[in-house]
Amino acid sequence: MTEVIDGNAVASEIRESLSESIDALAEAGVTPGLATVLMSDDPASETYVSMKQRDCEEVGIDGIHVEIDSDAPAEELYDTIDELNADSSVHGILVQMPLPDHVDERRVLRSIDPVKDVDGFHPENVGRLVAGNDRYRPCTPHGVQKLFEAYDIETEGADAVIVGRSNIVGKPLANLLLQKAPDGNATVTVCHSRTEDLEAKTRNADIVVAAAGLPEFIDGEMISEGATVIDVGINRVDADTEKGYELVGDVDYESAKAKAGAITPVPGGVGPMTRAMLLYNTVKAAGLQEDLAVELP
């Protein structure tokens, strides 16, 4: 029988444990602070930021939210980041993507103090991760690792295929699974739009991670019996519902579930873990910046 991996439940456990860590910091006079910066009129981005701020409030993190008009000069965003870097009450900075076309995304990522870069996207933090000396693991890949841990899914010696090579999921997750560590030691293949005979690669995998941004792209015919299937995708497709759409992953859930040994649903799988690991990184950042030992789940 296929095991459905419950990201909501695992994320809830992590938030509970983080609340204890936050209480310990409070005894030392420290409240972790996370600043979210939104420079977009995109409703989805506004929703994501709102959810992150709500998560902060629930666990006791001080949420600071800054909104910048999407038509404002790019310098306004760069100046805001400089101010947040200098603010000692802010331990983590998250600039919500995507950004307007006139803003240099690379400059934004480089501008955030690496110690406050709780997304883990600053070049310094990317380099540390690749070298096996990570400061902060990017939230979605780390969340996937936590799901493996919670469900006793062995990565050591496993053949893992990641479909998608983004800087946010595919590349960092590949690097984490390659590391010489208990939650790594996998043999990793990264597939993408130029991969030939993708099905042959996914069918031979013990673990398939779908992160291509293509609705229901991976189906049951593309995986082996008993494989673990992690669906990172979240896509809005037209549907006969009250809203006129529904959310689906990059995996055709029903056909894949019929063959998988374990699978994440969408929604309720990887998504809640991404938000939980952002809180995790913020608490870790507070401990590092305040020179306090913090127990993390």
Side-chain angles (χ1 to χ4, degrees):
M1 184 175 177
T2 304
E3 186 163 35
V4 177
I5 298 172
D6 189 343
N8 282 319
V10 179
S12 178
E13 291 174 8
I14 289 172
R15 287 196 301 271
E16 267 186 49
S17 296
L18 285 175
S19 294
E20 296 174 11
S21 304
I22 293 165
D23 289 343
L25 284 170
E27 290 178 9
V30 174
T31 300
L34 174 66
T36 54
V37 183
L38 179 65
M39 190 179 186
S40 171
D41 298 323
D42 177 40
S45 292
E46 292 173 356
T47 299
Y48 293 151
V49 169
S50 175
M51 292 167 71
K52 290 165 185 173
Q53 286 293 325
R54 186 186 66 202
D55 291 342
C56 287
E57 185 178 348
E58 287 179 358
V59 299
I61 290 174
D62 187 13
I64 304 102
H65 181 52
V66 181
E67 289 192 18
I68 301 172
D69 192 279
S70 60
D71 295 326
E75 289 298 331
E76 187 171 336
L77 175 58
Y78 307 145
D79 290 345
T80 297
I81 293 171
D82 289 342
E83 291 169 8
L84 295 171
N85 282 336
D87 187 341
S88 61
S89 69
V90 174
H91 300 101
I93 300 171
L94 180 147
V95 178
Q96 183 66 44
M97 303 293 175
L99 291 165
D101 291 340
H102 66 283
V103 176
D104 184 344
E105 184 176 314
R106 290 188 177 184
R107 178 174 172 180
V108 169
L109 296 179
R110 292 195 305 269
S111 297
I112 299 171
D113 184 338
V115 182
K116 296 191 178 189
D117 168 40
V118 288
D119 262 335
F121 298 152
H122 187 284
E124 179 183 316
N125 289 327
V126 173
R128 290 176 66 113
L129 183 145
V130 172
N133 183 32
D134 55 86
R135 177 185 281 129
Y136 308 117
R137 300 184 180 190
C139 300
T140 300
H142 197 186
V144 170
Q145 286 189 301
K146 288 292 186 183
L147 290 177
F148 289 154
E149 179 185 330
Y151 281 82
D152 295 322
I153 295 167
E154 188 65 62
T155 59
E156 184 164 350
D159 286 316
V161 168
I162 300 170
V163 184
R165 54 179 168 178
S166 73
N167 292 329
I168 296 172
V169 181
K171 290 178 185 176
L173 181 57
N175 276 290
L176 287 170
L177 293 179
L178 281 170
Q179 296 297 337
K180 194 173 183 179
D183 53 2
N185 288 322
T187 299
V188 182
T189 301
V190 179
C191 298
H192 46 78
S193 58
R194 298 294 186 269
T195 297
E196 294 186 6
D197 201 358
L198 174 64
E199 293 187 18
K201 294 174 174 59
T202 55
R203 281 199 203 103
N204 286 323
D206 303 303
I207 297 169
V208 176
V209 180
L214 298 170
E216 300 179 323
F217 176 60
I218 305 290
D219 62 24
E221 294 298 314
M222 297 176 69
I223 64 171
S224 63
E225 198 76 38
T228 295
V229 180
I230 303 295
D231 191 350
V232 179
I234 185 160
N235 310 281
R236 184 181 291 190
V237 297
D238 293 337
D240 185 19
T241 64
E242 185 178 335
K243 293 182 178 180
Y245 67 87
E246 64 179 353
L247 299 178
V248 300
D250 286 3
V251 174
D252 179 26
Y253 183 75
E254 292 303 329
S255 68
K257 184 183 175 186
K259 288 184 72 176
I263 189 170
T264 57
V266 174
V270 175
M273 296 300 299
T274 299
R275 288 162 46 205
M277 301 324 292
L278 175 63
L279 304 178
Y280 178 105
N281 282 350
T282 302
V283 174
K284 183 176 183 179
L288 289 174
Q289 290 164 53
E290 304 292 346
D291 198 23
L292 294 169
V294 181
E295 281 194 33
L296 292 165

